[in-house]
Amino acid sequence: LRDRDAAVKWFTEAALAGSVEAQHMLGGMYARGKGVPQDLAKAAEWFRMAAEHGDDAAQLIFGLMLRDGRGVPKDDIAAYLWISDAVAQRPDGERRDIALKALETVARRLSPDQMHEAQERARARHAPGDLIGAAVVRGSEPVGARPSA
């Protein structure tokens, strides 16, 4: 028990000092209840902190938490943005495919107005030429957009 408490203390100190790895690790600990009582709200806080510092895995996890309303209020537009951030950072391959599939799932749940808002916000978050431009927002149709009737 003492070692576990020491690990949590160390990770917390490191996370608060800016260690993205420690932020991500604490998010996982709280999400799974490993070494700490399970607390999805705290998990979301730590994953968001790591996501804000560019951790693509944390961006995907936090986006999924927003999509599902786990530890945070459900918000499909915010989920789309965080998951699109993860997609933008991942090179082609299996990890990118996983993030794209999650993004497409969220995109299908958005109304046309919500999709427009998400697309505009995603464009504002990413510079022209970012991978996000090709991967998520294709011309005027974002990934997962429903075809016009």
Side-chain angles (χ1 to χ4, degrees):
L1 184 62
R2 189 177 313 159
D3 290 339
R4 187 177 4 177
D5 292 342
V8 172
K9 181 178 186 249
W10 183 88
F11 279 124
T12 302
E13 288 174 7
L16 292 173
S19 168
V20 177
E21 294 84 5
Q23 293 163 356
H24 186 122
M25 188 68 102
L26 279 169
M29 291 169 71
Y30 279 105
R32 292 185 303 278
K34 297 286 185 177
V36 294
Q38 185 177 37
D39 186 331
L40 293 178
K42 282 186 180 179
E45 289 175 28
W46 288 115
F47 280 129
R48 181 180 181 132
M49 194 177 294
E52 288 172 344
H53 288 103
D55 181 327
D56 69 305
Q59 290 167 342
L60 176 60
I61 293 166
F62 185 62
L64 294 173
M65 293 180 87
L66 286 161
R67 179 194 72 184
D68 299 336
R70 291 180 34 238
V72 290
K74 187 175 177 178
D75 185 338
D76 285 335
I77 293 173
Y80 183 95
L81 294 171
W82 283 110
I83 296 170
S84 71
D85 287 349
V87 169
Q89 292 195 73
R90 292 176 173 203
D92 287 338
E94 185 177 346
R95 291 188 67 217
R96 182 182 177 91
D97 292 345
I98 290 167
L100 276 170
K101 182 174 268 188
L103 186 64
E104 290 169 357
T105 299
V106 172
R108 282 193 297 271
R109 293 167 34 167
L110 298 176
S111 70
D113 287 343
Q114 290 173 318
M115 179 56 78
H116 178 75
E117 179 183 345
Q119 181 181 9
E120 291 301 312
R121 288 173 59 186
R123 282 189 179 139
R125 281 168 83 119
H126 300 279
D130 275 359
L131 289 176
I132 195 77
V136 179
V137 182
R138 297 183 187 138
S140 64
E141 291 296 319
V143 166
R146 294 181 211 125
S148 302

